Amino acid sequence: MAVEYELKYRATPEVLERIQADFPGNYTVTEMTTTYYDTPGGDLAKLFWTLRHRREGDKHICTLKTPAGIDGRSEYEWSCESIHEAIPHLCRLSGSNALAQLVERGLVETCGARFTRTARAFTAGCTTTELALDQGVLINGEKEEPFAELEVELKRGFREEADIIGLLLSQAYGLEVENKSKFQRSKELGAK
């Protein structure tokens, strides 16, 4: 289990290009498709859990995210092409069989995203973050909405230093904090 800590900022494709030009380095470019799941009754959402399957290039990763303290989320991952095959492994990793019990009634796709991630490690002081420049579309049924954002994800070090990196980037490029995850925004797209 990892505790995820990341900061998100709304951007435009032009701003993401500027950031990449201003911070040259070894970027990886990955095409990603994400599908989010819940039970027909929305049991996972009621617990603030997120269940997703993400294809990252040729890799498939199934993830369960659950609340974990202030500003964090516990994240459990299993490499697998099928969300159904991943459930027992995610239960074992989380130390709880609750997920298996909840999904006995089935799973439905709720929403998703299709995007390109251009990312590189960035080290400042004792802290290493990943700068992820994401562009694509949020999906809910037949609805799609374009997005562009910068994610600053803590990989090693201190949250306070990651916060400073995010603050400096947001000030330098006129970025606004994005308080909602791709999951939340794609879910809300269905109500528009």
Side-chain angles (χ1 to χ4, degrees):
M1 174 202 72
V3 175
E4 178 184 60
Y5 186 75
E6 63 187 18
L7 307 162
K8 294 179 183 294
Y9 300 92
R10 277 176 251 146
T12 64
E14 296 77 22
V15 167
L16 294 182
E17 285 179 23
R18 282 184 38 221
I19 293 171
Q20 187 174 356
D22 291 347
F23 292 90
N26 294 325
Y27 284 87
T28 59
V29 178
T30 309
E31 297 298 326
M32 296 188 173
T33 303
T34 301
T35 304
Y36 297 98
Y37 297 86
D38 204 336
T39 64
D43 297 310
L44 301 180
K46 292 172 189 169
L47 296 170
F48 302 100
W49 291 9
T50 305
L51 183 62
R52 80 170 182 220
H53 171 264
R54 177 177 281 169
R55 183 174 179 181
E56 301 177 2
D58 293 333
K59 290 178 13 183
H60 294 264
I61 300 171
C62 296
T63 305
L64 171 65
K65 294 184 182 187
T66 61
I70 298 173
D71 296 328
R73 292 185 52 84
S74 295
E75 186 172 299
Y76 309 94
E77 294 185 337
W78 189 257
S79 294
C80 185
E81 290 187 28
S82 164
I83 197 71
H84 298 286
E85 291 176 24
I87 299 295
H89 302 286
L90 294 172
C91 288
R92 182 180 47 78
L93 291 170
S94 69
S96 169
N97 203 39
L99 177 63
Q101 294 168 352
L102 289 169
V103 303
E104 283 178 353
R105 290 172 270 190
L107 283 175
V108 294
E109 293 182 14
T110 59
C111 53
R114 217 175 30 253
F115 60 100
T116 301
R117 171 165 287 171
T118 304
R120 73 172 286 247
F122 179 78
T123 301
C126 299
T127 297
T128 299
T129 58
E130 178 183 71
L131 301 183
L133 315 173
D134 292 348
Q135 288 186 74
V137 292
L138 303 171
I139 304 164
N140 191 312
E142 298 297 316
K143 296 180 181 178
E144 292 188 359
E145 181 174 278
F147 77 92
E149 70 183 17
L150 166 68
E151 279 189 16
V152 178
E153 183 174 351
L154 179 63
K155 294 297 187 181
R156 179 182 52 84
F158 303 99
R159 287 181 177 197
E160 296 80 9
E161 289 183 0
D163 289 340
I164 292 169
I165 292 167
L167 178 63
L168 292 174
L169 287 168
S170 68
Q171 290 175 341
Y173 295 96
L175 303 174
E176 293 182 37
V177 172
E178 176 56 74
N179 291 315
K180 296 179 181 178
S181 67
K182 290 177 187 74
F183 167 67
Q184 290 170 308
R185 288 177 282 151
S186 61
K187 189 173 176 183
E188 290 173 358
L189 180 59
K192 290 183 179 180

